[in-house]
Structure formats: structure tokens, C-alpha cells
Amino acid sequence: MRAGSIAADARQTRVLGASTFAFTVCFAVWTIFSIIGIRIQGELGLSDTQLGLLVGTPILTGSLSRLVLGIWADQIGGRLVTAATMLFAAVATFLLSYADTYPLMLLAALGVGLAGGCFATGTAYVSRFYPPEKQGTALGIFGMGNVGAAVTKFAAPFALVAYGWQAVAEIWAAGLAVTAILFWLFTEDDPVTKKRRAEGVKPPSFRSQLEPLRNQQVWRFALYYFFVFGGFVALALWLPHYLIGVYDLDIKTAGMLAVFYSVPASIFRVYGGYLSDRRGARYVMYLTFGVSLICLLMLSYPQTDYVIHGIDGPIAFSTSMELVPFVITVFVLGFFMSLGKAAVYKHIPVYYPEHVGAVGGMVGMIGGLGGFVLPIAFGAMNDLTGVWTSCFALLFVIAGAALVWMHISIQQMERKAAGTAIADLPAFPELLGLPKSEAADTEAKSRVLTEWHPDDPGFWEGEGRAIAQRNLWISIPCLLLAFAVWMVWSVVVAKLPAVGFTYTTDQLFWLAALPGLSGATLRIFYSFMVPIFGGRLWTTLTTASLLIPAFGIGYAVQNPETPYFIFLVLALLCGFGGGNFASSMSNISFFFPKSQKGNAMALNAGLGNLGVSVMQFAIPLVITAGVFGTIGGTPQVTEEGTRLWLQNAGFIWVPFLLAATVLAWFGMNDIADAKASFAEQAVIFQRKHNWIMCWLYTGTFGSFIGFSAGFPLLAQSQFPEVDSLQYVFLGPLVGALSRAGTGWMADKYGGGRVTFWTFILMMAGVIGALYFLGMKDAPGAFWGFFAMFLLLFFATGIGNASTFQMIPVIMRKEMGRLMPGVPEANRLKHAERESAAIVGFTSAIAAYGAFFIPKAYGSSLALTGAPLAALWGFLIFYASCAVLTWAVYTRPGGLLYDIERGRARPSETAAEAGIR
């Protein structure tokens, strides 16, 4: 038995190795025009569109032939069809060397393209030697033959320069013919074909093989492959021409640099297969599309010169991607496209084990057509628009469309599956409605939690706690980074004058305030997104969106001539980070039982708020060194002669954001019961306590975030003799830690009581700050002022935790009054849903403090020459918050009075409490 297993493994290894080598040679021949086409264009005087057609013609043949070749491989065996196809392609490639006109070259190119059809035959052939749980890895190794494109790019330029393009065609043809013979000698027929011949069974008819193509699902897979494979082939063919045209490189250098795209887009396909076997093909596809969209967005932006007609004359600046960043970005793009190529073909033998050739051939055909259509489109777009980066813009649109279609389809299937017992679900949610395959068990389980009862002690201790804690500890770093990017302007604006930006104090306060304005506005929308899209997807998307302002800041601050308008836009985009808080808190509130919600949300928010302090501590350090080397750009020289890399204030967050995005997607969960439409959540606008809590939370969190945004500039303007930037990070640090560390107080003593005394403490802090500002010329005045703001930050942290603890308690109490005839379980579900919406919405309103507090400082300084008027306004506001908290919630007879003193349960109505 053991000997038989060893023999089977050896046979699998031999077949897979021979097939992969053969496909590598086929792919090298299939993409031969990517190198020799450039020389042919010069000899015949072809336009870019004509060159695109010539380069794409072999891709057309290889694509169209895949469907038929794949079916033949299923019918008569992949070994025979593969060897024969390679020999035919070798003959056509050799005859290409004798073509001397454009029509003859197009005719020869049709025959060369047969080499690309070997992918369909090889897929059907190799998959039959492996069980379903290993097919992803095996097909990933086989697909690694795409590296043949890199072989051509690396070797063909040297042969082209030494011997001419005709010699390249003849050498490649000879290599393909020899490989076909070796493939036949060192392989054997697949087990299915052997069995069929031994039993005398006729192969399935051509028509029956086409039957699965009626499924819409096959065409969706084809669109995925149109991007990951068709886009790969198109770029592999187009990049040498692009590099020569954009960066003025010679053909040998362009070919070698293009390898940095072709190699990762080929050899890492094996890892994509392995990852698909382990984590699931669907997860790999999400990862592929997400990262590809980010890379393509960066690559799509053309080199641009801007001229702004300013008051004092034209203001000019430019944007461009240099060669090194370009090569790195296409390397990353190629890597993730390689994962996607493997993931697409992992689906096929799982869904259609009896029709791998037909379905694989159809998907491969559409993907290959992408390799034909896209180079032509690239050339046509160049001719029509005159913009080199238009090719990446087109790929961005295709990837976006594929991602949207995939997600909508999966969401529909998961909604149908929500009411099905987990044990009855197929591993692929999309398999609902299709014949269930045992092979489907190899796909990763869905991340949607169809059963979630955290208030059930047995469920919580058995499995709920671990899942909730995992989601919390992934949510925290995502939120920390969101706060860091949101508030990054609070430090950047203080350094802009030092590197040559001549903005007024009021303009700088505007830049510090605008992220608060946009972040608060986005929170209004973000607060309703988790029940609509799911916390896992929304956390992933919103974390990835922070890459836009991070890159934007890094580029903009490098040129003192960058218009103020650009900085205003970037400041608004930093508001993406502010919006994340509403959705993050709403999401986490669903995971924990009521007895632990206060502490869980305090940890999420408190440690997330820590991002402000981390940013204010880290940025002054990282801008003093060239952290990213030449990739990060050159330093700016200050008036004192010191060098600053202010661009690092944006770039430093990029690797952490990428890691957090991946972590959120693969580590978090959605809760099926938490799904709700906007209309279902909009009922909170009818709840008076929603608006009262907006007022109170503005007093706590609005103060925290507003002080964080305005404190660095305020301290610097009032005490210029002190280098306050090295200390200001302590304020947000104290506020964040106090929020994370005092959540238990609200759970133990009651959020209403803690909130009331918080506002009393904040009033004392403001009075102290007014006192020390009034004597700011006295020795030690700065430290007294600083101590009062630390007290304010500490108090805001306590109040941030206590106000959020109040919300679910209030809503459970209110549901007893609003829904007296409804079973308690349903009342609890409504309370949880409305509490999550109120948490998000109140955080949205409160976030406007990040705009109004810095703006209040700026306006007070502009009108009176001092910030005292703003502080008096804060004192009056805190007094109103204290009065409102006491009158509505904590006085005898207030809504929370009995609950916080242990005299009533949150879910009881007033009448029930009286009976007790």
C-alpha cells in the first residue's frame, strides 16, 4: 500500500513537472511579439494600434482555441491534445521568420497563438491526477508556467540585438518542438482516459460538455479571469513599450524591468493555489481585487503639470511616478494578480469536476481574449487620448466591475443561507441551487455568523467570547490607524511654515479643522453602513480608503508651490479616518453581552483614540530621517539648515494600513442578525434620547477630538518660547488611556452618574486653563496651562466611555415602554439594533468638535487676539451638559436613577418596576 502511494506521488510529480515546463515554453512562444513586435514596428512603420493588433493576434487564437481544445482534452485525453497543439504552434512560429509584410505576419501570428491554447488542455490533464483538496496547489504550480513571458522578456532582447528578430522566432520554434517531444515521452495518459479506454466507454458528447456554460456563474468566473489573466497578458506584452515611451529606456533595459511584473505574476501563482486550498478561493479573490484597485489607482494618475492662477501670479507644480516606485507598484500588482489567477481555477474543478475541460476552456478563452482585446485597447487609447497611463485606468474599471459583481452575488447567496443550519450549508455559499459536490468541502467556511447569542452564558463561554475578542483586537488597530490619519494635520500644519509654505495662522487652523468637519459628516453615513454591508467588509474598505490621504500628503508636502487648495482637499480626505469611528463602534457593539458592552466599547474607542497620541509622538521622529530611502523622496531644508522628510508624515502609515486591511478581511466576522436597511435604522431620528446623547457626547468626545486637533497650534501660539510639540502628544495619550481604563466605572456605578461628574471635572479644567492663560507671562504658566489640559483630556476619556455605556441601557429601558406587547427577545434585538445606530450617529455629531474647537480658537484669536472667548464658550457648554444629564437621567425619578442604583432592570417598564 505504501509502495503504491509512493508510485502515485512520483507519477503526479513527473506529470506536473513535465506539464509545467511545457506550459512555460508555450507561454514564452505565445508572448514572443512583446519583444520582436517592437523591432517589427520600426521596420514596417506601424502605428501603436497596428502594433497592438499584431501583439494581440496570437492571444486571440490561443483564447478562441481554448474552449475546443479543452473539450477535446476531456474527450480524448489532455496528453495527446497538448503535444499535438505544441507541434502545430512550433511550425507556425518557424514560418513567422519568413513573413515580410504586415498581413503575412498577422496570418503567422494566428498559428503562433495555438501555443496559448495549451493552458486549457493542461488544466484538464493535470487536475485528473490530484484529489480536490490538492487541485488548487497543483493547478497553481502548473499555471506558474506564465513565467514563460518573463523568459521571453529577459532572453529575447539579447538574441534580438545579436541575431535579429527572425532568429528569435526560429530558436523559440525549435525549443517548442523539442519540448513537445519530451512531454510526450515523459508523461502518460490521465486516469480518467485510461479507465474510459479500458472499459470501452464512449467520451461525453461535445454538446453535453457545453451544458455547464448556461450557468451565469461560469461567465462571472470568466470576467474574473479576464482581469487577472487577460490583464496580466496585456501588461506583459505592453510594458516594454510603455517603459520605452514613458521612461525613455532602451529595449534591453525595458525588457528586464518588465520582468519585475511578469515574474511575480507567474511564479507566485503556486502560492495562490496553496492559499486557495487553505483559506478559500473566494477570500483570495477579494484580496486580489482590493489590492489591485489600489495599485491601479496609483498607476492611473498621469504625469501632470498644474498651473493655478493665483493672486500674486501663476502657481505651478507637477505630479509624476518615478521609475523605481513604478516598478515596485507593478511588482505588487503582478503578485496579487497571480494569486487571483490560481483562485479562479481553484473554483472550476470544485464546481464542475466532470467538465473541467469545457468550463476551464471557456474561462480561459475569455481570459485570453482579454490578452487580445486589451493590448489593442491600450494602443487605441494611446492614439486617441495621448495619455500613457490610460491603460491602467481601463484595468481599474474592469477590476472594479468584477469586484462589485462578485460581492453582490456572494451577498445574495449569504442572505439566502442566513436561515439555513450551518451543517446543511455547502462550503461555497454560491452552490445553493446547484448540485452539491463533496469537493466543495475544501472551501473555507463563511465568515457570516448566522447564530449569535452573546447574552447566553453557555454560548458566550463556549465560542462567543473567543470570536468577539478576536474581532475586537482586530478592530482596535484599524481604528488606531484611522485616528492617526484623521489627526495627522494637527502636526503637519505646525511644520509647514518651516519647510517653505507661507500660510497665515488662520489658514493653518483651517487645515487643522477641516478633517474634523469631513470626518464628522462622514460619520453620519458610516454609522448606518455596518448593518447594511457587514462589519467585516466595511472595516476592510474603510481601512483601505485611508491609503488615499496617506499617499496624497506624502506627495503634496514635498513641493512648497503646491496650492493651498490641494491641501484643503487632502485635509477633507483625512476625514475618512474620522468616519471610521462610527462604523467601528457600531460593529463592536453587536459582539458583546450587555454586561460587557461598556468595557468592550471603551477598549475599542480608547485604544483607537490612542492613534492621535501615537501620531503626535511618531511624526516628529519619522520626519527627521529618510525612512523610505530614495523611494520616499528628497528632504526639505528648513531656514535653520536642518533637513526634514515631511512626506513621511503620510507615507509612514501605508505599510500598517495595508497590513490592517488584510487582517480585517481575513480575521473579522459579519453577524447575520445585525443586518438591517437604512429605513429600519432611521427610526432613531424619532427617539428623543438620540438627540440628548448627541449633545452629551459632543461634550465628551467632541472635546477630546477638538482639543487633539487644536492643542498643538494653541500651545505653540500662546507659549512660543516653549517647544510644546514634544509634549502635546501626552494630552491625547491621557485621554485615550483614561477611556480604555475607566469603562468599568460606568458598568459598575452607572454611566449617567459618571457622566455628570465628568462634566463637573471638565468645568474645573477650563477654569484652570483660563487662569493660567491670564498669567501666561509668569514663570511656570505653561506647565499650569498644560496640566489643566491634561485634566481636560483625562475627563473626556472618562466621559467618552460612560456616555456610550448609557446608550444601550437607555434603549433597553425605552423598548419596554415603546413595545410593551412584544416578547422580550424581540425587544432586545430592536434595542441592540437601535443602540448600535445611536452609537454611530452620536459619534458623528460629536466629531464636529474636531472642526469647531480649532476654528473657535482661530476665530477667537482673529477677533480678540486671545483664545479666552473660546474657552468661556466651552465652560458654558459643559455646564449645560451637566444640567441635562442630571435632569433627564440621574436625578430621583430620572430614567436611569433606579437602574444605576440596582432597583430595576434595564428592560423593565416603569409599571413593572413599580410592581417590584
Side-chain angles (χ1 to χ4, degrees):
M1 184 70 179
R2 177 61 180 164
S5 176
I6 294 174
D9 290 344
R11 182 174 70 251
Q12 290 174 342
T13 302
R14 185 178 69 254
V15 167
L16 181 58
S19 299
T20 302
F21 178 75
F23 183 49
T24 301
V25 177
C26 287
F27 216 91
V29 171
W30 198 32
T31 57
I32 192 172
F33 281 101
S34 64
I35 298 299
I36 68 174
I38 298 173
R39 182 62 59 86
I40 293 172
Q41 182 185 30
E43 290 184 3
L44 300 183
L46 305 179
S47 67
D48 278 350
T49 302
Q50 289 176 311
L51 174 63
L53 180 61
L54 179 62
V55 170
T57 296
I59 312 304
L60 176 65
T61 310
S63 303
L64 295 177
S65 64
R66 285 183 173 188
L67 177 60
V68 175
L69 292 175
I71 294 176
W72 283 349
D74 276 341
Q75 290 181 319
I76 62 179
R79 176 171 173 248
L80 174 61
V81 178
T82 298
T85 303
M86 292 170 68
L87 289 174
F88 278 112
V91 172
T93 306
F94 182 80
L95 294 176
L96 171 65
S97 63
Y98 293 95
D100 54 3
T101 65
Y102 185 62
L104 285 176
M105 288 181 182
L106 289 176
L107 183 62
L110 289 171
V112 172
L114 288 174
C118 290
F119 177 72
T121 63
T123 299
Y125 177 60
V126 170
S127 66
R128 288 180 171 177
F129 285 89
Y130 288 88
E133 64 272 12
K134 294 184 178 179
Q135 286 174 340
T137 302
L139 292 178
I141 294 172
F142 171 70
M144 192 173 62
N146 290 166
V147 79
V151 172
T152 292
K153 287 185 179 62
F154 183 80
F158 294 97
L160 176 70
V161 173
Y163 307 110
W165 70 263
Q166 292 88 349
V168 175
E170 293 171 355
I171 294 170
W172 263 236
L176 184 60
V178 172
T179 302
I181 295 171
L182 293 175
F183 174 79
W184 179 260
L185 294 176
F186 287 95
T187 58
E188 60 185 78
D189 288 330
D190 63 85
V192 174
T193 301
K194 284 183 179 180
K195 182 179 179 181
R196 185 186 297 148
R197 289 173 180 170
E199 297 176 353
V201 178
K202 291 184 179 181
S205 66
F206 199 92
R207 181 175 180 179
S208 67
Q209 290 290 84
L210 294 175
E211 190 67 24
L213 304 187
R214 294 182 179 182
N215 294 324
Q216 184 189 76
Q217 180 188 63
V218 174
W219 298 95
R220 181 155 49 82
F221 293 163
L223 177 61
Y224 304 166
Y225 208 60
F226 184 87
F227 170 71
V228 295
F229 178 75
F232 158 71
V233 172
L235 284 180
L237 297 172
W238 191 254
L239 273 179
H241 183 54
Y242 183 95
L243 289 166
I244 292 171
V246 175
Y247 297 104
D248 197 27
L249 304 177
D250 61 76
I251 189 170
K252 290 189 292 184
T253 305
M256 286 188 288
L257 286 179
V259 169
F260 280 91
Y261 169 75
S262 301
V263 168
S266 304
I267 63 173
F268 288 112
R269 185 166 182 164
V270 61
Y271 179 65
Y274 170 80
L275 197 61
S276 297
D277 281 339
R278 294 294 301 273
R279 299 302 303 271
R282 191 155 46 90
Y283 296 101
V284 177
M285 291 308 303
Y286 269 115
L287 187 62
T288 294
F289 287 134
V291 177
S292 295
L293 285 172
I294 294 171
C295 292
L296 290 169
L297 180 64
M298 297 166 58
L299 294 167
S300 298
Y301 201 85
Q303 181 174 346
T304 308
D305 295 319
Y306 295 91
V307 178
I308 306 295
H309 296 283
I311 297 174
D312 299 322
I315 303 171
F317 69 101
S318 62
T319 61
S320 64
M321 180 176 280
E322 299 300 327
L323 180 60
V324 173
F326 176 85
V327 173
I328 293 173
T329 305
V330 297
F331 176 91
V332 174
L333 176 64
F335 172 77
F336 282 95
M337 291 177 82
S338 72
L339 302 185
K341 285 186 287 186
V344 172
Y345 268 84
K346 164 65 179 176
H347 287 81
I348 294 171
V350 173
Y351 279 95
Y352 307 101
E354 305 299 324
H355 303 86
V356 174
V359 176
M362 173 59 72
V363 172
M365 182 185 78
I366 300 299
L369 284 175
F372 167 72
V373 172
L374 290 174
I376 300 174
F378 294 167
M381 291 176 72
N382 264 17
D383 290 339
L384 293 173
T385 68
V387 178
W388 277 104
T389 59
S390 57
C391 59
F392 297 110
L394 177 60
L395 290 176
F396 179 86
V397 172
I398 296 170
L403 175 60
V404 170
W405 191 5
M406 179 177 74
H407 182 67
I408 290 174
S409 299
I410 290 172
Q411 287 286 91
Q412 290 175 343
M413 296 300 172
E414 287 182 340
R415 289 193 187 100
K416 293 178 181 178
T420 308
I422 294 178
D424 296 333
L425 286 175
F428 282 60
E430 296 167 299
L431 280 175
L432 290 173
L434 292 176
K436 185 174 180 178
S437 167
E438 293 180 3
D441 293 334
T442 60
E443 180 67 4
K445 292 182 179 179
S446 171
R447 288 287 182 180
V448 178
L449 303 173
T450 56
E451 295 291 333
W452 188 250
H453 308 290
D455 286 300
D456 179 350
F459 175 85
W460 178 250
E461 294 299 330
E463 58 181 299
R465 182 194 299 275
I467 295 173
Q469 292 289 345
R470 186 183 70 244
N471 280 269
L472 174 62
W473 291 107
I474 293 175
S475 175
I476 286 171
C478 291
L479 189 55
L480 185 147
L481 290 168
F483 270 93
V485 174
W486 189 24
M487 291 288 104
V488 72
W489 278 112
S490 65
V491 172
V492 172
V493 294
K495 291 292 185 181
L496 288 178
V499 295
F501 291 89
T502 56
Y503 298 145
T504 66
T505 301
D506 190 53
Q507 286 178 311
L508 294 176
F509 269 112
W510 265 107
L511 290 178
L514 280 179
L517 179 64
S518 60
T521 303
L522 287 173
R523 282 189 179 194
I524 296 175
F525 300 99
Y526 280 32
S527 60
F528 300 103
M529 293 298 105
V530 167
I532 296 174
F533 290 98
R536 171 170 163 261
L537 172 64
W538 192 250
T539 302
T540 302
L541 293 178
T542 52
T543 302
S545 71
L546 301 175
L547 291 165
I548 300 173
F551 275 114
I553 292 170
Y555 288 123
V557 298
Q558 296 185 54
N559 188 352
E561 296 181 355
T562 302
Y564 183 66
F565 172 75
I566 300 297
F567 282 107
L568 292 176
V569 172
L570 288 172
L572 289 170
L573 290 176
C574 283
F576 286 159
N580 286 11
F581 181 81
S583 54
S584 179
M585 295 298 287
S586 174
N587 183 44
I588 290 302
S589 71
F590 286 110
F591 282 94
F592 287 83
K594 60 178 181 293
S595 61
Q596 299 184 33
K597 280 187 188 294
N599 191 52
M601 290 195 291
L603 285 171
N604 188 56
L607 298 181
N609 292 167
L610 198 61
V612 181
S613 185
V614 170
M615 178 276 300
Q616 292 182 345
F617 175 79
I619 296 303
L621 296 179
V622 300
I623 64 176
T624 61
V627 178
F628 298 100
T630 57
I631 299 175
T634 57
Q636 303 96 34
V637 180
T638 66
E639 295 178 356
E640 292 80 15
T642 58
R643 298 194 303 170
L644 290 179
W645 284 262
L646 195 55
Q647 61 267 33
N648 289 349
F651 291 154
I652 194 63
W653 308 112
V654 170
F656 299 104
L657 288 170
L658 292 173
T661 299
V662 173
L663 193 62
W665 179 249
F666 287 105
M668 297 189 76
N669 298 90
D670 291 326
I671 299 176
D673 285 343
K675 295 294 182 71
S677 66
F678 175 79
E680 291 174 309
Q681 299 175 77
V683 69
I684 67 169
F685 298 125
Q686 303 173 25
R687 310 299 191 213
K688 69 175 182 178
H689 295 286
N690 174 51
W691 302 105
I692 294 173
M693 294 310 300
C694 284
W695 187 266
L696 300 184
Y697 195 59
T698 300
T700 58
F701 179 78
S703 297
F704 168 81
I705 202 64
F707 290 153
S708 299
F711 189 41
L713 270 177
L714 177 67
Q716 190 176 54
S717 65
Q718 296 304 297
F719 298 93
E721 71 280 1
V722 180
D723 185 11
S724 57
L725 287 183
Q726 60 182 314
Y727 307 116
V728 293
F729 77 92
L730 291 172
L733 175 63
V734 168
L737 292 180
S738 71
R739 180 170 192 166
T742 61
W744 62 271
M745 293 174 58
D747 284 335
K748 183 175 182 179
Y749 300 109
R753 286 194 285 179
V754 174
T755 300
F756 172 78
W757 288 108
T758 292
F759 287 123
I760 300 299
L761 190 61
M762 292 177 70
M763 293 168 63
V766 173
I767 292 172
L770 285 167
Y771 172 77
F772 286 108
L773 281 175
M775 50 178 293
K776 64 180 181 180
D777 295 329
F782 169 76
W783 296 110
F785 166 82
F786 187 70
M788 289 301 101
F789 264 89
L790 288 185
L791 177 63
L792 282 167
F793 274 110
F794 177 75
T796 62
I798 299 174
N800 287 340
S802 62
T803 48
F804 268 10
Q805 190 274 348
M806 293 169 64
I807 293 172
V809 178
I810 291 170
M811 294 316 298
R812 288 194 194 98
K813 180 68 177 289
E814 282 290 277
M815 285 302 142
R817 178 180 64 85
L818 296 170
M819 309 172 70
V822 176
E824 185 173 353
N826 289 347
R827 290 206 308 264
L828 181 61
K829 182 179 293 187
H830 280 279
E832 294 292 310
R833 184 175 296 165
E834 291 192 27
S835 296
I838 292 174
V839 163
F841 185 73
T842 54
S843 72
I845 300 303
Y848 281 107
F851 169 75
F852 285 112
I853 287 181
K855 193 66 186 74
Y857 289 149
S859 299
S860 181
L861 286 167
L863 294 174
T864 68
L868 302 180
L871 290 171
W872 277 108
F874 301 156
L875 180 61
I876 296 170
F877 177 67
Y878 297 149
S880 73
C881 291
V883 171
L884 188 61
T885 304
W886 179 83
V888 179
Y889 299 116
T890 64
R891 66 174 176 81
L895 186 69
L896 301 181
Y897 182 83
D898 289 339
I899 295 173
E900 294 186 348
R901 285 159 179 79
R903 300 178 183 177
R905 298 195 307 271
S907 60
E908 287 180 328
T909 64
E912 289 169 335
I915 292 172
R916 289 186 61 214

